[in-house]
Amino acid sequence: MATTQDTASRDDIRAGIVAAATQLLRENGANAVTTRAVAQAAGVQAPTIYRLFGDKDGLIDAVAEHVMASYVSGKSAAADVTAGDPVADLRSGWRAHVEFGLTNPELYALIAARGSRAPSPATVAGLDVLRRRVRRLATAGLLRVDEQRALLMVHSAGNGTILTLLGMPTDQRDLALGEAMLDAVLTSILATTPATPDTRTNAVAVTFATVLPDLPGLTDAERALMAEWLHRSLTHPTP
Amino acid sequence: MATTQDTASRDDIRAGIVAAATQLLRENGANAVTTRAVAQAAGVQAPTIYRLFGDKDGLIDAVAEHVMASYVSGKSAAADVTAGDPVADLRSGWRAHVEFGLTNPELYALIAARGSRAPSPATVAGLDVLRRRVRRLATAGLLRVDEQRALLMVHSAGNGTILTLLGMPTDQRDLALGEAMLDAVLTSILATTPATPDTRTNAVAVTFATVLPDLPGLTDAERALMAEWLHRSLTHPTP
DNA sequence: ACTCCCTCGTTAACAGCGTTACGTCAGCGA
DNA sequence: TCGCTGACGTAACGCTGTTAACGAGGGAGT
């Protein structure tokens, strides 16, 4: 048995394979992650992967866990202690989740969009931390709906938001969509409504935007500029 | 050119291949949809698929369009005329979407969860009908947020909800999750808030549910029964 | 110290996948 | 009737995930 002094211990080899697969996934997409390519990139033989991970899905799971671990350890790890405001904790967790999805598009699409197969360990781990955060809301008496319902709603909203953002070109992404979705869910979930913004002004503005293209007496440039400003005003996060 | 009297016209062959692929997808999962299997099931040779669909993705797209078309034609086609209440129309469209996703799990997971590839024609078609419905809300002065923002929110919520429901066992699905998510999004989107239910009662009940497992002096069966009743009460749709 | 056994790395192969090149034959236009 | 275009069927290519078989190497037992 390789004690410690081998050129590369079993864990080292494992880590090297995971690193190679991660790099391949990030730089060349999911289709480039093939057992042979990973083995060659890691400097091992193909069957080694099967001895260490059992399966290609096992490799993917290990990659997901590794990327998630290095991501959370790369963050400042603040506010993880259960000290702060439960709502603020959920918010920061949500932001981290969205940011993670946008930072690792290939990986996220790979693990979050499994058909009817069993969810990946990374997915259930993420669900667990989300469950803890929702649990804190419940024990604080802040929830208006069933705890399980709240969990599913936050999870669905987050997953859907990330997939929607990933599905559109980088420069067209509505980065405030995440905040808006979280606000929507929180408003329906929390007992204490977190202050909804004004209504009449925005409604009128939105209605006006729909008739803008038919407005006579304006140049196209003027109309485009007005549309852009309207969009910016309506998209602006209300403090 | 095959006029009409051939044993099978080009369109017939096409339809047969699509039907075979659809059946294979529904009955044996996405992995069973292989060019050879489809060709054999349809009674044609493998290259025929490439002559008619160009690609395996083309086949999948054709299957998606066919299933969607037969689904909407199978529905009673009610309320599609732009007559009714815009909000009610959005609701019925949402319900149809969720029902479609739950009825065709394999297909939905296949087309809704593409990584960074271009979205399928079926997806953009669905987005277009959703866009029209949201547009009607905007022109009626009912939107509180940007039209595009509203579109993305409804789409994200629907997609996330369906994927969440598909990811859990059939008998554990919270079928009211769809309604709850739509209500959440609508509350954040519409200028006219659609009546939020009571707050204090539910908040107390949810809090109580979290301490239920630690409640002394009760049998496990009693606790389980109480938990079930609480869950049902909190999950019950508020009229 | 020698031998045996057991574990591991390596090679090669298998079955299947998406996809395509090529010879052949039918049916249409001239 | 001749020529041609276009579809058909076969067979193959390169690739995938996965595994069986073989040979070498080192630790354990006597």
Side-chain angles (χ1 to χ4, degrees):
Chain A
M1 181 191 297
T3 59
T4 321
Q5 291 297 348
D6 263 320
T7 58
S9 86
R10 189 197 221 74
D11 287 347
D12 288 340
I13 296 181
R14 214 186 128 94
I17 294 177
V18 170
T22 303
Q23 183 176 355
L24 240 52
L25 177 63
R26 231 195 287 270
E27 298 182 357
N28 298 83
N31 293 339
V33 181
T34 167
T35 56
R36 286 172 171 84
V38 169
Q40 181 170 2
V44 302
Q45 269 67 27
T48 307
I49 294 178
Y50 292 86
R51 217 162 348 89
L52 294 180
F53 302 93
D55 208 334
K56 194 198 174 183
D57 286 336
L59 212 202
I60 302 292
D61 290 344
V63 169
E65 284 186 82
H66 166 250
V67 173
M68 275 189 67
S70 57
Y71 187 85
V72 305
S73 81
K75 297 264 92 179
S76 55
D80 199 295
V81 282
T82 58
D85 174 19
V87 179
D89 282 3
L90 183 65
R91 285 203 117 88
S92 76
W94 170 283
R95 290 203 186 93
H97 190 179
V98 172
E99 186 183 333
F100 175 80
L102 297 186
T103 309
N104 310 81
E106 269 83 20
L107 180 66
Y108 195 90
L110 217 60
I111 66 177
R114 298 197 176 196
S116 57
R117 276 186 293 278
S120 93
T123 301
V124 319
L127 256 177
D128 269 351
V129 30
L130 177 58
R131 199 189 321 270
R132 269 194 292 276
R133 290 204 164 97
V134 172
R135 167 65 52 94
R136 286 193 59 212
L137 292 177
T139 60
L142 296 175
L143 276 192
R144 203 167 79 204
V145 301
D146 191 19
E147 189 183 329
Q148 167 86 357
R149 168 72 62 84
L151 174 73
L152 291 181
M153 287 181 72
V154 177
H155 180 236
S156 299
N159 200 12
T161 302
I162 295 176
L163 288 180
T164 294
L165 290 178
L166 287 182
M168 50 206 294
T170 315
D171 53 349
Q172 293 181 18
R173 285 179 187 163
D174 183 359
L175 289 179
L177 177 65
E179 297 298 315
M181 285 290 288
L182 179 56
D183 284 340
V185 172
L186 284 184
T187 303
S188 284
I189 272 182
L190 293 183
T192 68
T193 306
T196 162
D198 66 301
T199 269
R200 217 178 330 267
T201 311
N202 281 354
V204 173
V206 170
T207 311
F208 173 72
T210 69
V211 302
L212 215 187
D214 303 324
L215 224 55
L218 296 179
T219 72
D220 288 347
E222 287 166 342
R223 268 189 287 262
L225 214 50
M226 286 184 66
E228 181 188 329
W229 290 338
L230 269 177
H231 182 80
R232 193 202 307 159
S233 166
L234 289 169
T235 309
H236 195 69
T238 66
Chain B
M1 179 192 299
T3 58
T4 320
Q5 291 298 348
D6 261 322
T7 59
S9 86
R10 189 198 222 73
D11 287 347
D12 288 339
I13 296 181
R14 214 187 128 95
I17 294 177
V18 170
T22 302
Q23 184 176 354
L24 240 53
L25 176 63
R26 232 195 285 270
E27 298 183 358
N28 298 82
N31 292 338
V33 182
T34 165
T35 58
R36 286 172 172 84
V38 170
Q40 181 170 3
V44 301
Q45 269 67 28
T48 306
I49 294 179
Y50 292 88
R51 238 172 279 114
L52 293 180
F53 302 93
D55 209 334
K56 193 198 175 183
D57 286 336
L59 212 203
I60 302 292
D61 291 344
V63 169
E65 284 186 82
H66 166 251
V67 174
M68 277 189 67
S70 57
Y71 186 85
V72 304
S73 81
K75 294 267 95 178
S76 56
D80 198 294
V81 282
T82 58
D85 174 18
V87 179
D89 282 4
L90 184 66
R91 284 200 119 88
S92 74
W94 170 283
R95 289 202 187 94
H97 190 178
V98 172
E99 187 183 334
F100 175 80
L102 296 187
T103 309
N104 310 80
E106 270 84 20
L107 180 65
Y108 196 89
L110 216 60
I111 65 177
R114 300 196 176 196
S116 57
R117 274 186 294 279
S120 94
T123 301
V124 319
L127 256 177
D128 267 351
V129 30
L130 177 60
R131 201 191 318 273
R132 270 194 292 277
R133 291 205 164 96
V134 172
R135 168 65 52 94
R136 286 192 60 212
L137 292 178
T139 60
L142 297 175
L143 276 192
R144 202 167 80 204
V145 301
D146 190 20
E147 189 183 327
Q148 167 84 357
R149 168 71 60 84
L151 174 73
L152 292 181
M153 287 180 74
V154 176
H155 179 236
S156 298
N159 200 14
T161 301
I162 295 176
L163 288 180
T164 294
L165 289 177
L166 287 182
M168 51 205 292
T170 316
D171 53 349
Q172 293 182 18
R173 285 179 186 163
D174 182 0
L175 289 179
L177 177 66
E179 298 297 314
M181 285 291 287
L182 179 57
D183 284 341
V185 171
L186 285 183
T187 304
S188 284
I189 272 182
L190 294 183
T192 69
T193 305
T196 162
D198 66 302
T199 268
R200 216 176 331 265
T201 311
N202 281 355
V204 173
V206 170
T207 311
F208 173 72
T210 69
V211 302
L212 215 184
D214 303 325
L215 225 53
L218 296 178
T219 72
D220 287 348
E222 289 165 340
R223 267 190 287 263
L225 214 50
M226 286 185 66
E228 181 189 329
W229 291 339
L230 268 178
H231 182 80
R232 194 202 306 159
S233 166
L234 289 169
T235 309
H236 194 68
T238 66

PDB file of all heavy atoms in Angstrom, chain A residues 43-69:
ATOM      1  N   GLY A  43      -2.708  12.719 -16.721  1.00  0.00           N
ATOM      2  CA  GLY A  43      -1.526  11.874 -16.759  1.00  0.00           C
ATOM      3  C   GLY A  43      -1.732  10.491 -16.169  1.00  0.00           C
ATOM      4  O   GLY A  43      -0.801   9.892 -15.640  1.00  0.00           O
ATOM      5  N   VAL A  44      -2.937   9.998 -16.257  1.00  0.00           N
ATOM      6  CA  VAL A  44      -3.216   8.643 -15.780  1.00  0.00           C
ATOM      7  C   VAL A  44      -3.902   7.861 -16.897  1.00  0.00           C
ATOM      8  O   VAL A  44      -4.187   8.390 -17.967  1.00  0.00           O
ATOM      9  CB  VAL A  44      -4.109   8.659 -14.525  1.00  0.00           C
ATOM     10  CG1 VAL A  44      -3.464   9.443 -13.421  1.00  0.00           C
ATOM     11  CG2 VAL A  44      -5.475   9.217 -14.862  1.00  0.00           C
ATOM     12  N   GLN A  45      -4.149   6.588 -16.618  1.00  0.00           N
ATOM     13  CA  GLN A  45      -4.857   5.787 -17.610  1.00  0.00           C
ATOM     14  C   GLN A  45      -6.363   5.857 -17.360  1.00  0.00           C
ATOM     15  O   GLN A  45      -6.803   6.120 -16.238  1.00  0.00           O
ATOM     16  CB  GLN A  45      -4.388   4.344 -17.577  1.00  0.00           C
ATOM     17  CG  GLN A  45      -3.243   4.084 -18.525  1.00  0.00           C
ATOM     18  CD  GLN A  45      -1.990   4.811 -18.109  1.00  0.00           C
ATOM     19  OE1 GLN A  45      -1.828   5.081 -16.912  1.00  0.00           O
ATOM     20  NE2 GLN A  45      -1.124   5.128 -19.048  1.00  0.00           N
ATOM     21  N   ALA A  46      -7.088   5.583 -18.407  1.00  0.00           N
ATOM     22  CA  ALA A  46      -8.539   5.686 -18.300  1.00  0.00           C
ATOM     23  C   ALA A  46      -9.114   4.801 -17.189  1.00  0.00           C
ATOM     24  O   ALA A  46      -9.973   5.258 -16.419  1.00  0.00           O
ATOM     25  CB  ALA A  46      -9.191   5.366 -19.645  1.00  0.00           C
ATOM     26  N   PRO A  47      -8.716   3.558 -17.067  1.00  0.00           N
ATOM     27  CA  PRO A  47      -9.325   2.718 -16.018  1.00  0.00           C
ATOM     28  C   PRO A  47      -9.107   3.253 -14.607  1.00  0.00           C
ATOM     29  O   PRO A  47      -9.881   2.914 -13.698  1.00  0.00           O
ATOM     30  CB  PRO A  47      -8.634   1.365 -16.206  1.00  0.00           C
ATOM     31  CG  PRO A  47      -8.265   1.342 -17.636  1.00  0.00           C
ATOM     32  CD  PRO A  47      -7.858   2.753 -17.952  1.00  0.00           C
ATOM     33  N   THR A  48      -8.071   4.066 -14.415  1.00  0.00           N
ATOM     34  CA  THR A  48      -7.864   4.636 -13.085  1.00  0.00           C
ATOM     35  C   THR A  48      -9.083   5.431 -12.633  1.00  0.00           C
ATOM     36  O   THR A  48      -9.465   5.384 -11.455  1.00  0.00           O
ATOM     37  CB  THR A  48      -6.622   5.536 -13.095  1.00  0.00           C
ATOM     38  OG1 THR A  48      -5.518   4.788 -13.614  1.00  0.00           O
ATOM     39  CG2 THR A  48      -6.299   6.016 -11.707  1.00  0.00           C
ATOM     40  N   ILE A  49      -9.682   6.135 -13.560  1.00  0.00           N
ATOM     41  CA  ILE A  49     -10.869   6.913 -13.214  1.00  0.00           C
ATOM     42  C   ILE A  49     -11.939   6.004 -12.628  1.00  0.00           C
ATOM     43  O   ILE A  49     -12.579   6.338 -11.627  1.00  0.00           O
ATOM     44  CB  ILE A  49     -11.399   7.640 -14.465  1.00  0.00           C
ATOM     45  CG1 ILE A  49     -10.380   8.701 -14.919  1.00  0.00           C
ATOM     46  CG2 ILE A  49     -12.746   8.283 -14.191  1.00  0.00           C
ATOM     47  CD1 ILE A  49     -10.805   9.429 -16.161  1.00  0.00           C
ATOM     48  N   TYR A  50     -12.080   4.828 -13.233  1.00  0.00           N
ATOM     49  CA  TYR A  50     -13.151   3.939 -12.775  1.00  0.00           C
ATOM     50  C   TYR A  50     -12.818   3.321 -11.429  1.00  0.00           C
ATOM     51  O   TYR A  50     -13.703   3.014 -10.649  1.00  0.00           O
ATOM     52  CB  TYR A  50     -13.426   2.882 -13.836  1.00  0.00           C
ATOM     53  CG  TYR A  50     -14.031   3.494 -15.067  1.00  0.00           C
ATOM     54  CD1 TYR A  50     -13.234   4.024 -16.072  1.00  0.00           C
ATOM     55  CD2 TYR A  50     -15.399   3.602 -15.196  1.00  0.00           C
ATOM     56  CE1 TYR A  50     -13.796   4.625 -17.183  1.00  0.00           C
ATOM     57  CE2 TYR A  50     -15.969   4.193 -16.296  1.00  0.00           C
ATOM     58  CZ  TYR A  50     -15.161   4.708 -17.286  1.00  0.00           C
ATOM     59  OH  TYR A  50     -15.714   5.309 -18.367  1.00  0.00           O
ATOM     60  N   ARG A  51     -11.524   3.141 -11.175  1.00  0.00           N
ATOM     61  CA  ARG A  51     -11.188   2.586  -9.875  1.00  0.00           C
ATOM     62  C   ARG A  51     -11.388   3.613  -8.774  1.00  0.00           C
ATOM     63  O   ARG A  51     -11.740   3.274  -7.649  1.00  0.00           O
ATOM     64  CB  ARG A  51      -9.740   2.081  -9.875  1.00  0.00           C
ATOM     65  CG  ARG A  51      -9.575   0.819  -9.073  1.00  0.00           C
ATOM     66  CD  ARG A  51      -8.302   0.035  -9.364  1.00  0.00           C
ATOM     67  NE  ARG A  51      -7.554   0.428 -10.522  1.00  0.00           N
ATOM     68  CZ  ARG A  51      -6.602   1.355 -10.537  1.00  0.00           C
ATOM     69  NH1 ARG A  51      -6.321   1.995  -9.427  1.00  0.00           N
ATOM     70  NH2 ARG A  51      -5.941   1.627 -11.638  1.00  0.00           N
ATOM     71  N   LEU A  52     -11.172   4.907  -9.091  1.00  0.00           N
ATOM     72  CA  LEU A  52     -11.277   5.939  -8.065  1.00  0.00           C
ATOM     73  C   LEU A  52     -12.683   6.516  -7.944  1.00  0.00           C
ATOM     74  O   LEU A  52     -13.090   6.928  -6.861  1.00  0.00           O
ATOM     75  CB  LEU A  52     -10.287   7.073  -8.363  1.00  0.00           C
ATOM     76  CG  LEU A  52      -8.807   6.691  -8.254  1.00  0.00           C
ATOM     77  CD1 LEU A  52      -7.923   7.898  -8.563  1.00  0.00           C
ATOM     78  CD2 LEU A  52      -8.506   6.170  -6.876  1.00  0.00           C
ATOM     79  N   PHE A  53     -13.392   6.572  -9.048  1.00  0.00           N
ATOM     80  CA  PHE A  53     -14.706   7.220  -9.009  1.00  0.00           C
ATOM     81  C   PHE A  53     -15.844   6.272  -9.372  1.00  0.00           C
ATOM     82  O   PHE A  53     -17.008   6.649  -9.257  1.00  0.00           O
ATOM     83  CB  PHE A  53     -14.730   8.426  -9.952  1.00  0.00           C
ATOM     84  CG  PHE A  53     -13.684   9.450  -9.647  1.00  0.00           C
ATOM     85  CD1 PHE A  53     -12.443   9.418 -10.278  1.00  0.00           C
ATOM     86  CD2 PHE A  53     -13.915  10.448  -8.706  1.00  0.00           C
ATOM     87  CE1 PHE A  53     -11.482  10.357  -9.996  1.00  0.00           C
ATOM     88  CE2 PHE A  53     -12.955  11.390  -8.422  1.00  0.00           C
ATOM     89  CZ  PHE A  53     -11.724  11.346  -9.065  1.00  0.00           C
ATOM     90  N   GLY A  54     -15.487   5.080  -9.812  1.00  0.00           N
ATOM     91  CA  GLY A  54     -16.516   4.098 -10.097  1.00  0.00           C
ATOM     92  C   GLY A  54     -17.233   4.316 -11.402  1.00  0.00           C
ATOM     93  O   GLY A  54     -17.580   3.367 -12.091  1.00  0.00           O
ATOM     94  N   ASP A  55     -17.415   5.577 -11.753  1.00  0.00           N
ATOM     95  CA  ASP A  55     -18.322   5.892 -12.831  1.00  0.00           C
ATOM     96  C   ASP A  55     -17.977   7.282 -13.357  1.00  0.00           C
ATOM     97  O   ASP A  55     -17.281   8.039 -12.694  1.00  0.00           O
ATOM     98  CB  ASP A  55     -19.748   5.893 -12.285  1.00  0.00           C
ATOM     99  CG  ASP A  55     -20.748   5.540 -13.348  1.00  0.00           C
ATOM    100  OD1 ASP A  55     -20.430   5.785 -14.528  1.00  0.00           O
ATOM    101  OD2 ASP A  55     -21.806   5.022 -12.997  1.00  0.00           O
ATOM    102  N   LYS A  56     -18.488   7.602 -14.532  1.00  0.00           N
ATOM    103  CA  LYS A  56     -18.280   8.969 -14.987  1.00  0.00           C
ATOM    104  C   LYS A  56     -19.143   9.929 -14.181  1.00  0.00           C
ATOM    105  O   LYS A  56     -18.720  11.049 -13.901  1.00  0.00           O
ATOM    106  CB  LYS A  56     -18.610   9.107 -16.469  1.00  0.00           C
ATOM    107  CG  LYS A  56     -18.096  10.406 -17.046  1.00  0.00           C
ATOM    108  CD  LYS A  56     -18.733  10.788 -18.348  1.00  0.00           C
ATOM    109  CE  LYS A  56     -18.260  12.175 -18.754  1.00  0.00           C
ATOM    110  NZ  LYS A  56     -18.913  12.633 -19.990  1.00  0.00           N
ATOM    111  N   ASP A  57     -20.322   9.505 -13.811  1.00  0.00           N
ATOM    112  CA  ASP A  57     -21.145  10.343 -12.951  1.00  0.00           C
ATOM    113  C   ASP A  57     -20.453  10.598 -11.617  1.00  0.00           C
ATOM    114  O   ASP A  57     -20.563  11.683 -11.049  1.00  0.00           O
ATOM    115  CB  ASP A  57     -22.508   9.680 -12.731  1.00  0.00           C
ATOM    116  CG  ASP A  57     -23.378   9.769 -13.966  1.00  0.00           C
ATOM    117  OD1 ASP A  57     -23.149  10.683 -14.780  1.00  0.00           O
ATOM    118  OD2 ASP A  57     -24.271   8.925 -14.120  1.00  0.00           O
ATOM    119  N   GLY A  58     -19.753   9.592 -11.115  1.00  0.00           N
ATOM    120  CA  GLY A  58     -19.001   9.803  -9.889  1.00  0.00           C
ATOM    121  C   GLY A  58     -17.948  10.875 -10.065  1.00  0.00           C
ATOM    122  O   GLY A  58     -17.739  11.700  -9.172  1.00  0.00           O
ATOM    123  N   LEU A  59     -17.286  10.863 -11.211  1.00  0.00           N
ATOM    124  CA  LEU A  59     -16.314  11.914 -11.497  1.00  0.00           C
ATOM    125  C   LEU A  59     -16.997  13.284 -11.493  1.00  0.00           C
ATOM    126  O   LEU A  59     -16.520  14.226 -10.849  1.00  0.00           O
ATOM    127  CB  LEU A  59     -15.690  11.666 -12.878  1.00  0.00           C
ATOM    128  CG  LEU A  59     -14.254  12.075 -13.146  1.00  0.00           C
ATOM    129  CD1 LEU A  59     -14.009  12.238 -14.635  1.00  0.00           C
ATOM    130  CD2 LEU A  59     -13.859  13.344 -12.433  1.00  0.00           C
ATOM    131  N   ILE A  60     -18.119  13.381 -12.209  1.00  0.00           N
ATOM    132  CA  ILE A  60     -18.826  14.662 -12.270  1.00  0.00           C
ATOM    133  C   ILE A  60     -19.218  15.116 -10.866  1.00  0.00           C
ATOM    134  O   ILE A  60     -19.061  16.292 -10.511  1.00  0.00           O
ATOM    135  CB  ILE A  60     -20.072  14.532 -13.164  1.00  0.00           C
ATOM    136  CG1 ILE A  60     -19.657  14.061 -14.570  1.00  0.00           C
ATOM    137  CG2 ILE A  60     -20.812  15.852 -13.258  1.00  0.00           C
ATOM    138  CD1 ILE A  60     -18.880  15.057 -15.340  1.00  0.00           C
ATOM    139  N   ASP A  61     -19.731  14.195 -10.068  1.00  0.00           N
ATOM    140  CA  ASP A  61     -20.100  14.556  -8.700  1.00  0.00           C
ATOM    141  C   ASP A  61     -18.895  15.073  -7.930  1.00  0.00           C
ATOM    142  O   ASP A  61     -18.979  16.074  -7.208  1.00  0.00           O
ATOM    143  CB  ASP A  61     -20.700  13.340  -7.993  1.00  0.00           C
ATOM    144  CG  ASP A  61     -22.063  12.976  -8.560  1.00  0.00           C
ATOM    145  OD1 ASP A  61     -22.650  13.816  -9.264  1.00  0.00           O
ATOM    146  OD2 ASP A  61     -22.520  11.857  -8.305  1.00  0.00           O
ATOM    147  N   ALA A  62     -17.767  14.384  -8.085  1.00  0.00           N
ATOM    148  CA  ALA A  62     -16.563  14.835  -7.378  1.00  0.00           C
ATOM    149  C   ALA A  62     -16.157  16.219  -7.861  1.00  0.00           C
ATOM    150  O   ALA A  62     -15.754  17.074  -7.060  1.00  0.00           O
ATOM    151  CB  ALA A  62     -15.428  13.834  -7.602  1.00  0.00           C
ATOM    152  N   VAL A  63     -16.267  16.462  -9.166  1.00  0.00           N
ATOM    153  CA  VAL A  63     -15.945  17.790  -9.691  1.00  0.00           C
ATOM    154  C   VAL A  63     -16.868  18.829  -9.079  1.00  0.00           C
ATOM    155  O   VAL A  63     -16.424  19.903  -8.644  1.00  0.00           O
ATOM    156  CB  VAL A  63     -16.052  17.792 -11.229  1.00  0.00           C
ATOM    157  CG1 VAL A  63     -15.995  19.208 -11.765  1.00  0.00           C
ATOM    158  CG2 VAL A  63     -14.936  16.961 -11.838  1.00  0.00           C
ATOM    159  N   ALA A  64     -18.156  18.516  -9.033  1.00  0.00           N
ATOM    160  CA  ALA A  64     -19.106  19.474  -8.478  1.00  0.00           C
ATOM    161  C   ALA A  64     -18.765  19.790  -7.023  1.00  0.00           C
ATOM    162  O   ALA A  64     -18.720  20.958  -6.619  1.00  0.00           O
ATOM    163  CB  ALA A  64     -20.527  18.905  -8.579  1.00  0.00           C
ATOM    164  N   GLU A  65     -18.496  18.750  -6.250  1.00  0.00           N
ATOM    165  CA  GLU A  65     -18.165  18.998  -4.846  1.00  0.00           C
ATOM    166  C   GLU A  65     -16.896  19.835  -4.714  1.00  0.00           C
ATOM    167  O   GLU A  65     -16.820  20.752  -3.901  1.00  0.00           O
ATOM    168  CB  GLU A  65     -17.996  17.657  -4.114  1.00  0.00           C
ATOM    169  CG  GLU A  65     -19.336  16.999  -3.813  1.00  0.00           C
ATOM    170  CD  GLU A  65     -19.176  15.756  -2.960  1.00  0.00           C
ATOM    171  OE1 GLU A  65     -19.069  15.895  -1.747  1.00  0.00           O
ATOM    172  OE2 GLU A  65     -19.149  14.642  -3.532  1.00  0.00           O
ATOM    173  N   HIS A  66     -15.903  19.502  -5.549  1.00  0.00           N
ATOM    174  CA  HIS A  66     -14.645  20.237  -5.473  1.00  0.00           C
ATOM    175  C   HIS A  66     -14.846  21.712  -5.833  1.00  0.00           C
ATOM    176  O   HIS A  66     -14.356  22.605  -5.138  1.00  0.00           O
ATOM    177  CB  HIS A  66     -13.618  19.598  -6.403  1.00  0.00           C
ATOM    178  CG  HIS A  66     -12.411  20.434  -6.652  1.00  0.00           C
ATOM    179  ND1 HIS A  66     -12.156  21.028  -7.873  1.00  0.00           N
ATOM    180  CD2 HIS A  66     -11.396  20.804  -5.837  1.00  0.00           C
ATOM    181  CE1 HIS A  66     -11.030  21.721  -7.788  1.00  0.00           C
ATOM    182  NE2 HIS A  66     -10.550  21.600  -6.572  1.00  0.00           N
ATOM    183  N   VAL A  67     -15.573  21.966  -6.906  1.00  0.00           N
ATOM    184  CA  VAL A  67     -15.773  23.350  -7.323  1.00  0.00           C
ATOM    185  C   VAL A  67     -16.564  24.108  -6.271  1.00  0.00           C
ATOM    186  O   VAL A  67     -16.234  25.244  -5.918  1.00  0.00           O
ATOM    187  CB  VAL A  67     -16.491  23.392  -8.685  1.00  0.00           C
ATOM    188  CG1 VAL A  67     -16.858  24.822  -9.051  1.00  0.00           C
ATOM    189  CG2 VAL A  67     -15.604  22.795  -9.756  1.00  0.00           C
ATOM    190  N   MET A  68     -17.598  23.470  -5.730  1.00  0.00           N
ATOM    191  CA  MET A  68     -18.369  24.144  -4.692  1.00  0.00           C
ATOM    192  C   MET A  68     -17.510  24.425  -3.475  1.00  0.00           C
ATOM    193  O   MET A  68     -17.559  25.519  -2.904  1.00  0.00           O
ATOM    194  CB  MET A  68     -19.561  23.272  -4.300  1.00  0.00           C
ATOM    195  CG  MET A  68     -20.759  23.456  -5.203  1.00  0.00           C
ATOM    196  SD  MET A  68     -22.209  22.603  -4.548  1.00  0.00           S
ATOM    197  CE  MET A  68     -22.536  23.558  -3.066  1.00  0.00           C
ATOM    198  N   ALA A  69     -16.721  23.442  -3.083  1.00  0.00           N
ATOM    199  CA  ALA A  69     -15.892  23.640  -1.896  1.00  0.00           C
ATOM    200  C   ALA A  69     -14.909  24.773  -2.108  1.00  0.00           C
ATOM    201  O   ALA A  69     -14.769  25.659  -1.260  1.00  0.00           O
ATOM    202  CB  ALA A  69     -15.147  22.342  -1.563  1.00  0.00           C
TER     203      ALA A  69
END
